Amino acid sequence: MANKSLFKSIAGKLLPKTNTVNSHGAPAYKLDDKHALAQLAATGCLNATFYASADTQLDTILTLAGNVEPEFVAKTALYARTKGYMKDMPALLCAILSVTSPGLMAEIFDRVIDSPKMLRNFVQIMRSGTVGRKSLGSLPKKLVQRWIDSRTSEQLFLGSVGNDPSLADIIKMVHPKPATKAREALFAYLIGREFDASLLPEIVRQFEAFKKGETRDVPDVPFQMLTALPLGASEWKAIAKNASWQTTRMNLNTFARHGVFSEGQAMSRMIAARLADKELVQKARAFPYQLMNAYLNVTKEVPSEMKEALQDAMEIATHNVPKIEAKVHIFVDISGSMHSPITGHRQGATTTVRCVDVAALVAATIVRRNPSAEILSFESKAIEDFSFNPRDSVMTNAKKLSSLPCGGTNCSAPLAVLNKRKAFGDLIVYVSDNESWVDAPYYGRFGGSRTETLNQWAQFKARNPAAKMVCIDLVPNTHTQAAERVDDILNIGGFSDTVFDVIARFADGTLDPNHWVAVIERERI
């Protein structure tokens, strides 16, 4: 008979030893530079998180960007913007390239800097001195000029919302040459100089007439341009009627305060229909957590149809979650650190959506498409006595999960439960911040052992040799509890729906051996 303890020992020796510590000081595995840069680009918002300050994130990004080839930096910026829908990190990476590889920056500029908000982010970063310069420089200046020249006058006016810097500030910096008298008048209008009003775009003239009280017709301009004006209920209803999908989602409480829903059901039905419109939801590229934010924060003054519409929108926003033909176990981290805001602490504008809310949302979304999947939440221990109905909405199940009590972090606990049950499975999905410490044998050093998560995974694999594990990290970390392996372990970061596609390809064996990094490297410059 085979010596079981001997073979168990040999299996343990095949596991890699830890080579770093996590933010809690417990042993962990370090992500390589490319993977770490991708992780920060897909999750970082340059705001303070539970463990890391904004300055720490920035320093890490600058170091990592200097350690990899500029082409990968460019591809990461493209991925983070076009697939991850991030704002700050892609602009920062673009700014870094202005120093390390200006030609690559020029190649990706229009695809990364694709909106007025992104343009303001880029210019702000460039002028801050963060990347080693405090002026735009000749090539970035030309790219910004080209960006402005390629927009219509209407687009520039509608995109002039926002400050620090404003679009007017940017025009003053780069001095774009107006090709027409009409464009010259618009530039003068935006920067506060004398202009010929007759040459302004029609939308600008409508806005100015409304501001002066010359007309009661509310112009179709960005919401923010109107909020400082003395408006009555009729004007607010007109604003709500013309609002974009994103503006509607973000301002349901504002609309309620100003009487938009006060008369009859017609307005409520119209706005609810807009929120649940499949084409508008997809076009808005909304993060599911943004829908959850709206859902959790609507006041009782907002009609119930809005909550129902937001739930419908959630089902649409998560429509591409794959149905996995396998036995799936999902592990949701509900520990204390997961109760920090998903986009970090930002003075005056910190989101109410926490990492645990997003983790619960990811789990509930997978279960919605895979009803046989089993969820185990964990903190210091695994929570085994929790169940919910997979037919309930994503929003309902996510709220149930995220409201469970929290404690320390023990990433190995749910795997230990499955091993105790001698359970079978094909795919394990962790949604966590990887800051496991309860199961750590020692602190402040590494290299002497393996993480307990990987030990438990080895036991699970002994029963399920074809099983795979995915570790989704929701925060800007550079470490993991399960070292990346070609055959069976994938580490991925972020909270856009692109994550689900990568998981599906990993589960069915069609993902490149280099996993998530390979997905980014396939971006075309």
Side-chain angles (χ1 to χ4, degrees), residues 17-21 26-28 442-449:
K17 294 180 179 180
T18 55
N19 57 5
T20 190
V21 294
Y442 48 81
Y443 285 94
R445 59 190 179 90
F446 49 84
S449 67

Side-chain angles (χ1 to χ4, degrees), residues 252-328:
L252 293 173
N253 293 338
T254 302
F255 291 162
R257 282 198 309 272
H258 291 93
V260 169
F261 305 116
S262 61
E263 296 180 11
Q265 295 295 313
M267 183 65 76
S268 295
R269 285 195 296 268
M270 184 200 72
I271 293 178
R274 178 189 300 156
L275 287 172
D277 185 287
K278 182 177 181 179
E279 183 177 342
L280 293 177
V281 172
Q282 293 174 340
K283 184 179 179 181
R285 299 193 302 186
F287 280 130
Y289 89 83
Q290 293 173 321
L291 286 160
M292 173 178 270
N293 188 32
Y295 180 84
L296 294 176
N297 285 287
V298 292
T299 63
K300 61 182 180 180
E301 287 76 24
V302 176
S304 59
E305 296 98 314
M306 301 306 123
K307 275 203 165 188
E308 294 171 6
L310 288 169
Q311 293 194 70
D312 291 340
M314 178 68 79
E315 300 294 330
I316 296 166
T318 56
H319 75 285
N320 65 339
V321 175
K323 182 172 177 58
I324 301 170
E325 301 298 333
K327 176 59 180 176
V328 182

